[in-house]
Amino acid sequence: MLALVKSGPGPGLDLRDVPVPSVGINDVLIRVHKTGICGTDLHIEAWDPWAARTIAPPIVVGHEFVGEVTEVGANVADFHPGDLVSGEGHVVCGRCRHCLAGRRHLCAYTIGLGVGRDGAFAEYVVLPMTNVWHHWPGIDEEVAAIFDPFGNAVHAALSFPILGEDVLVSGAGPIGLMATAVVRHSGARYVVVSEPNGFRRELAARMGATVTVDPRERDLTAVQSDLGMKEGFDVALEMSGNATALRTAISNMAHGGGVAILGLPTADISLDVNHIIFNQLTLRGIYGREMYETWYQMTVMIQSGLDIRPVITHRFDFRDFEAAFAAARSGDSGKVIMDWQS
Ligand code: NAD
Ligand code: ZN
C-alpha cells in the first residue's frame, strides 16, 4: 500500500510502498477514505525538537481519518466489512487504574496513532476494535474524517456548563473554530473569539461567534463593555497555546469562572495565582477526547444540526501531500483534507 512515512530523523515525509498492516485477533483493518492534517503532523513533518524527542522512525504518520472496514480479527464481532468508521487516536493500555474504571482518557500509558504506532496517512490502517467508532450511514465523510480534532473541541467546550453563559475562545485554529460552533450550538449567550489572523476571524464569525477580536488591536475589557457584560466571562477556552492569550483570558473571567486549557504552550507560562484564588477560578487541562462520551456527543450534535463544515477549507489528493501540508502550515486555512481513494 502507499503511505506517508517519516523515514528517518530530519524534515520531510516520503510517499512510499509499505506492507498492509497485519490484523491481530482484536484488530480492525480499515481502508482509509479521507484524512485530516493536524498540527502534530506538521511538527513531525518539520522534525521540531518535540518530534525529535518523541518519534522513532520509520513510522507511518497521521491520525485523523474516516474509512471503511475491510477485515476484522477472530475476536471482533461488532465490526463488519463495509462499515464506515473513524478511529480514536489514543490507544490506551486497558489495565491501569483509570482504564479499569472506565476513565480511559486518563490512561497514563497512551500510545498515539501516527506518533507511537503506524498511523492513518496510508491506504490502510489497523486499530484495536476498542478504538473504532461507527458512523451512521449518510454522514458527510469530510466531517467524519475530522472527528478526532472535533472531539478535542467538544471535550474542551463541554467541560464547563455552557447554557446561557458568556464564552471566550482564544485562538481560532481548526479546534477553536469548531469549539465556537459547539458552544453556540450548546446555548451560550455571547461567544467572543480572539484571534490575530483575519482569515480565521472571518471563519469564526461563520462558525457562530458573536464578536471576533484581533487581540493586538482591542482589549477584551472594551469588548465586554460593548456587549454590556459586567462581570467577565463565565467560561474561557484557551486554544492558542499563547502565554498572553492565557493570561488575558484569566484576567477577564467572572468570579467562579472556568478556563479549559487545550492549547499547548512551547514554554513555561507564569500566572497571577492570587487572581485565580481570589476570583475562585477553575483551570482545567484538556487532552484528547473522553472514550467514548465525547464521540457520542459529537455524533448527536451533528445529528441535531451542528454544522462544522465551514472549518474545512482545503482538499487535496494524497499524492499532493506537500501542497496539503503547506496549506495547513500557512495559517490561512481551517482544516485540510487529503483524499486516499483516487
Ligand atoms: P492552530 O495552531 O492552528 O491554532 C492556534 C491559533 O491561535 C492560531 O490561529 C493563532 O493565530 C492563534 N493565536 C496565536 N496567538 C494568539 C493570541 N495571543 N490570542 C489569540 N489567538 C492566538 O492549532 P489547532 O490545530 O487549532 O489547535 C489548537 C491548540 O491545541 C494548539 O496549541 C495545539 O497544539 C493544541 N492541541 C491540543 C490537543 C490536546 O489534546 N490538548 C489536541 C490537539 C491540539
Ligand atoms: Zn490505561
Side-chain angles (χ1 to χ4, degrees):
M1 68 170 187
L2 288 169
L4 272 181
V5 182
K6 172 61 77 180
S7 307
L13 293 172
D14 301 313
L15 187 61
R16 276 182 23 197
D17 236 315
V18 300
V20 173
S22 57
V23 186
I25 53 172
N26 295 315
D27 288 342
V28 176
L29 183 69
I30 300 153
R31 172 68 174 94
V32 176
H33 288 183
K34 294 181 194 303
T35 57
I37 298 178
C38 170
T40 303
D41 306 318
L42 301 180
H43 293 301
I44 298 172
E45 194 269 344
W47 202 247
D48 67 7
W50 170 83
R53 259 195 328 272
T54 314
I55 306 291
I59 186 170
V60 177
V61 300
H63 56 274
E64 302 175 1
F65 75 94
V66 64
E68 179 184 333
V69 174
T70 54
E71 195 183 325
V72 300
N75 285 348
V76 180
D78 297 337
F79 295 95
H80 305 282
D83 292 354
L84 190 72
V85 297
S86 287
E88 163 58 56
H90 288 181
V91 179
V92 298
C93 80
R95 297 301 309 160
C96 70
R97 172 186 173 182
H98 287 304
C99 280
L100 289 173
R103 298 184 292 262
R104 289 180 276 187
H105 61 294
L106 296 179
C107 177
Y109 309 100
T110 299
I111 295 171
L113 185 67
V115 176
R117 58 183 279 153
D118 281 334
F121 288 174
E123 290 180 289
Y124 291 88
V125 63
V126 79
L127 272 172
M129 61 176 153
T130 45
N131 278 70
V132 184
W133 180 260
H134 266 130
H135 290 294
W136 71 96
I139 186 177
D140 181 323
E141 285 202 18
E142 290 185 347
V143 168
I146 57 169
F147 256 46
D148 175 296
F150 177 30
N152 295 133
V154 168
H155 186 189
L158 301 186
S159 59
F160 296 101
I162 291 298
L163 181 64
E165 302 291 42
D166 296 333
V167 181
L168 170 66
V169 179
S170 303
I175 299 180
L177 288 166
M178 289 187 276
T180 299
V182 170
V183 293
R184 171 55 67 222
H185 185 80
S186 307
R189 180 173 67 164
Y190 299 137
V191 184
V192 174
V193 178
S194 173
E195 164 62 58
N197 177 305
F199 178 90
R200 290 183 160 182
R201 280 201 305 278
E202 229 161 83
L203 278 177
R206 287 181 63 197
M207 300 298 274
T210 316
V211 178
T212 64
V213 197
D214 182 339
R216 298 163 303 184
E217 285 177 1
R218 288 203 75 208
D219 77 53
L220 290 173
T221 350
V223 175
Q224 287 192 52
S225 86
D226 287 356
L227 289 169
M229 289 173 57
K230 294 198 165 52
E231 296 183 0
F233 292 94
D234 304 296
V235 176
L237 308 176
E238 202 321 283
M239 309 210 140
S240 72
N242 181 281
T244 308
L246 177 59
R247 287 195 204 99
T248 306
I250 287 172
S251 62
N252 278 275
M253 298 306 290
H255 286 205
V259 184
I261 307 175
L262 175 116
L264 295 165
T266 49
D268 290 352
I269 300 179
S270 67
L271 299 176
D272 180 349
V273 178
N274 278 295
H275 182 84
I276 295 168
I277 294 168
F278 289 124
N279 293 5
Q280 301 177 65
L281 305 182
T282 303
L283 272 60
R284 183 162 173 201
I286 302 289
Y287 182 51
R289 299 141 296 279
E290 287 194 28
M291 296 163 223
Y292 280 81
E293 186 62 7
T294 305
W295 291 77
Y296 178 82
Q297 291 169 325
M298 288 188 263
T299 300
V300 297
M301 282 193 287
I302 298 280
Q303 288 175 331
S304 60
L306 171 65
D307 186 7
I308 58 165
R309 282 174 302 184
V311 80
I312 301 166
T313 55
H314 293 73
R315 295 152 178 92
F316 293 90
D317 184 277
F318 71 92
R319 291 177 189 82
D320 300 325
F321 69 92
E322 280 166 335
F325 273 67
R329 205 181 286 289
S330 74
D332 289 339
S333 55
K335 220 54 225 183
V336 177
I337 304 281
M338 290 192 289
D339 193 312
W340 288 82
Q341 283 180 298
S342 50

